[in-house]
Amino acid sequence: MSTAFDFTAYLEAARWRVEAALESSLGPERPESLREAMRYSLLAGGKRLRPILTLAACELAGGDADLAMPTAVAMEMIHTMSLIHDDLPAMDNDDLRRGRPTNHKVYGEAKAILAGDALLTRAFEMVALRSPGVPPERLLQVVGELSLASGAPGLVGGQVVDLECEARQVDLDTLEYIHLHKTGALLRACVISGALIAGASEELLAALRTYARGIGLAFQIIDDILDVTASSDVLGKTAGKDLAADKTTYPKLLGLEESRRRADALVGEAKAVLEPWSAKAAPLLALADYITSRDR
Ligand code: GRG
């Protein structure tokens, strides 16, 4: 007899566990002012999608999610640092993030840059020094995934191309490049690292790479659609900022309807590759659907 998977309850429980782990990830270190700036953004809410993907992938691969928690926290730290830096005057120059003043608005630019730097390096510390019970060779693989996702082959590379293309319209291939790097790379690292910690087979890792690519692109298409359809109140962003006339988005290139169709197709493909593991894949399948049905 199969029991229906209660995704709402799963998400709530996972978020609760992640929040507790994030809360205890920053010790009583000095200087206090740096710790405060790090905490301000790390504990500012957010969907916590990335750490939850790590925990879910670990469980799908037969692992103990508790062992993957430090890595899950590391993923949210890298995500948070990328948001802090993305909001800086030299980049997107945003005043609001998740409905609150951005880090540099509260602590000043220098402190915001350093809080981001400290979160990035703390992420590697979480994996290398604070992951008891995980074989070191698996942690080394996770460090590799984090390095690729953060640096030039990942977020930084995507951000650079995005900045270079800011004031002009780009084609679909370039838009896809930007999103696969800015957004997709970290989502992929989340999923793959969770599975690596559990010692996943090559076959499962390959399927999870396909899954991550699909949800990564779909995630960004939905983000673009929400920028058009949702109010800035719901998104917690600076009003009108993301609707800048010179920014290329999926709805601009494809129209709203085709963008939505494409996101649905990508999620469909992402779910299909997990078919052989469907008995344990309920959370990852539901997370893929959540990406296309979310309203923020
Ligand atoms: C990682 C070394 C390093 C540098 C960062 C600034 C930068 C380089 C990259 C920018 C990356 C960026 C801001 C990508 C956008 C990612 C994205 C889709 C954010 C929104 O994610 P949600 O919706 O946000 O999951 P919440 O608030 O729910 O966490």
Side-chain angles (χ1 to χ4, degrees):
M1 194 184 82
S2 74
T3 316
F5 176 64
D6 184 345
F7 181 58
T8 310
Y10 172 85
L11 204 55
E12 198 186 311
R15 277 195 181 129
W16 191 86
R17 288 176 62 199
V18 167
E19 289 301 332
L22 289 171
E23 177 71 46
S24 57
S25 67
L26 301 180
E29 70 251 37
R30 297 283 182 267
E32 178 68 31
S33 60
L34 176 63
R35 177 170 176 266
E36 198 190 313
M38 292 163 78
R39 280 178 63 89
Y40 177 80
S41 292
L42 188 65
L43 304 179
K47 295 180 287 295
R48 310 309 194 192
L49 196 54
R50 290 158 189 80
I52 293 173
L53 281 169
T54 301
L55 302 178
C58 178
E59 282 179 328
L60 168 61
D64 172 355
D66 283 343
L67 296 185
M69 186 58 94
T71 293
V73 165
M75 297 299 169
E76 190 66 15
M77 287 176 166
I78 295 180
H79 172 55
T80 303
M81 86 67 73
S82 80
L83 299 180
I84 295 174
H85 283 201
D86 190 55
D87 290 335
L88 288 167
M91 302 224 194
D92 265 14
N93 193 20
D94 270 308
D95 295 346
L96 285 178
R97 166 71 65 183
R98 294 167 171 165
R100 302 200 310 167
T102 45
N103 198 290
H104 66 271
K105 282 278 154 193
V106 179
Y107 300 100
E109 264 184 71
K111 192 66 66 57
I113 292 169
L114 291 165
D117 293 343
L119 283 168
L120 177 65
T121 41
R122 173 58 58 84
F124 284 87
E125 185 186 324
M126 294 302 300
V127 177
L129 301 178
R130 299 211 212 177
S131 294
V134 184
E137 62 275 13
R138 293 186 190 171
L139 294 179
L140 191 58
Q141 287 179 298
V142 172
V143 166
E145 290 294 324
L146 284 190
S147 316
L148 292 173
S150 319
L155 270 83
V156 175
Q159 179 77 344
V160 167
V161 176
D162 195 15
L163 291 173
E164 286 171 355
C165 295
E166 214 170 30
R168 61 186 169 92
Q169 291 299 303
V170 298
D171 60 17
L172 199 55
D173 280 351
T174 311
L175 188 63
E176 195 170 289
Y177 175 93
I178 292 171
H179 295 320
L180 278 175
H181 290 76
K182 269 187 73 168
T183 306
L186 190 57
L187 292 177
R188 175 182 146 135
C190 291
V191 172
I192 296 300
S193 300
L196 283 172
I197 286 173
S201 66
E202 249 329 301
E203 199 189 357
L204 177 54
L205 290 171
L208 287 172
R209 281 184 200 107
T210 307
Y211 167 88
R213 185 182 192 282
I215 64 163
L217 275 180
F219 184 93
Q220 196 55 53
I221 296 174
I222 297 300
D223 227 41
D224 283 357
I225 293 174
L226 288 173
D227 276 344
V228 178
T229 57
S231 78
S232 53
D233 282 1
V234 172
L235 298 177
K237 294 177 178 172
T238 310
K241 188 88 186 74
D242 292 284
L243 308 178
D246 49 7
K247 188 178 175 229
T248 308
T249 63
Y250 282 95
K252 266 188 205 160
L253 285 181
L254 302 174
L256 269 179
E257 210 170 297
E258 175 58 19
S259 299
R260 161 65 62 184
R261 203 198 57 74
R262 191 172 278 237
D264 288 341
L266 282 162
V267 165
E269 287 162 26
K271 289 168 65 180
V273 294
L274 295 185
E275 190 65 38
W277 295 272
S278 60
K280 291 175 87 176
L284 284 184
L285 297 177
L287 283 160
D289 283 329
Y290 170 72
I291 280 171
T292 40
S293 62
R294 72 201 167 97
D295 61 4
R296 72 185 178 105

